[in-house]
Amino acid sequence: QVQLVESGGGLVQAGGSLRLSCAASGRTFTSYAMGWFRQAPGKEREFVAAISWSGDTTYYADSVKGRFTISRDNAKNTVYLQMNSLKPEDTAVYYCAARPLSGYEYEFWGQGTQVTVSS
């Protein structure tokens, strides 16, 4: 298993930036691809970004492409989400998740961190 703890959320004005961090503990961090998801009030959880175990490959939702950047530091067992040009519609609870390389689903989730973007 792997335990995930997010941090870095907060209140920011539209156009501002935040960097989320997700610290992992437990099994070998490089055994997992990592992802960020978000859930706004009254909406379903949605995919935001993902990164391969090595960091060589990244994926983004169309809604954040060009504004958000996912990265990971395997030496620190941490994955990041740099969020720039934030919009009010980015307001949500952001979750990081881990997908075992041998699997197809994200099996481990953090507790989430709130991001609020004011207009």
Side-chain angles (χ1 to χ4, degrees):
Q1 281 196 343
V2 62
Q3 292 77 44
L4 304 172
V5 179
E6 302 98 335
S7 62
L11 173 64
V12 64
Q13 288 189 334
S17 298
L18 281 175
R19 188 175 82 153
L20 306 184
S21 299
C22 174
S25 61
R27 287 195 59 186
T28 307
F29 187 55
T30 51
S31 298
Y32 299 92
M34 300 297 295
W36 285 96
F37 294 77
R38 66 187 181 186
Q39 187 167 20
K43 295 188 176 181
E44 293 189 352
R45 186 169 59 196
E46 65 175 359
F47 168 78
V48 175
I51 190 166
S52 63
W53 72 269
S54 64
D56 289 346
T57 305
T58 57
Y59 307 89
Y60 296 94
D62 288 343
S63 58
V64 307
K65 204 171 293 183
R67 300 187 298 122
F68 290 11
T69 302
I70 188 171
S71 62
R72 65 190 293 164
D73 186 336
N74 288 337
K76 296 183 177 179
N77 289 355
T78 301
V79 62
Y80 304 97
L81 186 68
Q82 177 67 43
M83 305 186 295
N84 299 328
S85 302
L86 283 161
K87 305 175 181 180
E89 52 263 44
D90 294 318
T91 295
V93 178
Y94 283 71
Y95 300 90
C96 73
R99 178 178 64 79
L101 297 184
S102 59
Y104 296 95
E105 296 184 356
Y106 288 89
E107 296 186 5
F108 305 102
W109 295 80
Q111 83 289 350
T113 186
Q114 176 71 47
V115 171
T116 303
V117 184
S118 63
S119 57

